[in-house]
Amino acid sequence: MSSTTSSFPERIELTGKGLVLRDWTEADLEAMPELFDHPDIAYWTPIVSPFDEAAARARLDRDRRLRAEGTTLLLAITVDGGAPLGEVMLRRAPEGMEIGYAVGPAHRGQGLAARAVQVMAAYAFEELGAEQVILELESENAASVAVATKTGFRLLDVPLITGEEKGRPYALQTWALDRP
C-alpha cells in the first residue's frame, strides 16, 4: 500500500474537481458545529456528538497534532477556499492509506464527497506514492457506498472490520482504489 511515513506538510491546499481542500483555521471554529453536529454524522462517523464549540476546538487541536505526527491529514472541503462545507481525511493506517469524509447536511447532494475523495486520492498517489487508497464504510450507509462506486473504488473480499462505537456495533467493508 504505502511504505512512506514522512510528515505531512505544515500547510497544504489541494485543488481540483471544482474544489479547494484547505487547512482548518481558527476562523472555522464557529462553522464546525453546523457541519458536524448532526444525527447522520454522529451515527456513521467517529466524530463526537454533540458537536459544540469545545468539540470544534478539540478537533482542530487534534488535527494539528496528528498532522505533526505524520499520521492524519484533515482538510476543509470548500469550493473557493472560503467557507467550509465538510471535511476530507487521509490517514496512514496499518491497512493502508485510508480516506474518510463528512459533508455538512446543508451542503449534500452536490457531489462534494465524491470530488473531495478524488482530489485526496490523487494527492495520495502523486505526492505520497501510495499504491492503493481505501475507504472503510458500512454497507448500510447508502450515501458512502454511492461515493465509493462513483469514484471507482471496488469492494475488497476481506474480512469485515467489526467493533462498537458510541454504544452501537458496526461492521465496516473495505473498498479500494489502485494507483492509476
Side-chain angles (χ1 to χ4, degrees), residues 31-46:
M32 291 171 84
E34 181 182 325
L35 297 174
F36 300 133
D37 191 34
H38 189 270
D40 286 349
I41 291 180
Y43 188 83
W44 295 116
T45 76

Side-chain angles (χ1 to χ4, degrees), residues 8 61-74:
F8 291 116
D61 292 345
R62 181 176 176 266
D63 164 35
R64 291 173 175 167
R65 186 182 76 255
L66 293 173
R67 182 184 301 194
E69 293 170 2
T71 59
T72 306
L73 179 64
L74 295 167

Side-chain angles (χ1 to χ4, degrees), residues 8-175:
F8 291 116
E10 186 177 321
R11 305 229 6 103
I12 189 168
E13 183 175 281
L14 306 177
T15 58
K17 306 287 181 182
L19 298 178
V20 177
L21 308 181
R22 62 157 176 83
D23 295 316
W24 287 104
T25 69
E26 304 288 326
D28 296 321
L29 290 172
E30 188 175 313
M32 291 171 84
E34 181 182 325
L35 297 174
F36 300 133
D37 191 34
H38 189 270
D40 286 349
I41 291 180
Y43 188 83
W44 295 116
T45 76
I47 294 174
V48 299
S49 179
F51 195 96
D52 56 15
E53 288 180 34
R57 165 53 60 197
R59 188 154 183 86
L60 183 61
D61 292 345
R62 181 176 176 266
D63 164 35
R64 291 173 175 167
R65 186 182 76 255
L66 293 173
R67 182 184 301 194
E69 293 170 2
T71 59
T72 306
L73 179 64
L74 295 167
L75 298 176
I77 300 170
T78 78
V79 293
D80 58 5
L85 310 175
E87 175 176 86
V88 63
M89 171 204 76
L90 182 66
R91 180 175 72 97
R92 290 183 171 110
E95 304 81 25
M97 291 287 228
E98 177 190 357
I99 296 176
Y101 45 85
V103 174
H107 311 292
R108 294 182 184 157
Q110 302 173 47
L112 295 171
R115 292 184 287 150
V117 165
Q118 291 172 315
V119 172
M120 190 64 92
Y123 174 75
F125 293 135
E126 296 165 12
E127 300 299 322
L128 303 177
E131 293 299 319
Q132 183 179 72
V133 293
I134 61 172
L135 302 174
E136 294 175 347
L137 52 96
E138 294 182 66
S139 62
E140 297 83 14
N141 187 340
S144 281
V145 170
V147 168
T149 56
K150 183 177 182 175
T151 54
F153 282 73
R154 71 183 188 295
L155 180 60
L156 297 181
D157 186 18
V158 298
L160 295 173
I161 301 164
T162 59
E164 184 174 314
E165 190 161 40
K166 299 181 190 173
R168 78 169 188 89
Y170 63 82
L172 302 175
Q173 299 175 323
T174 304
W175 294 68

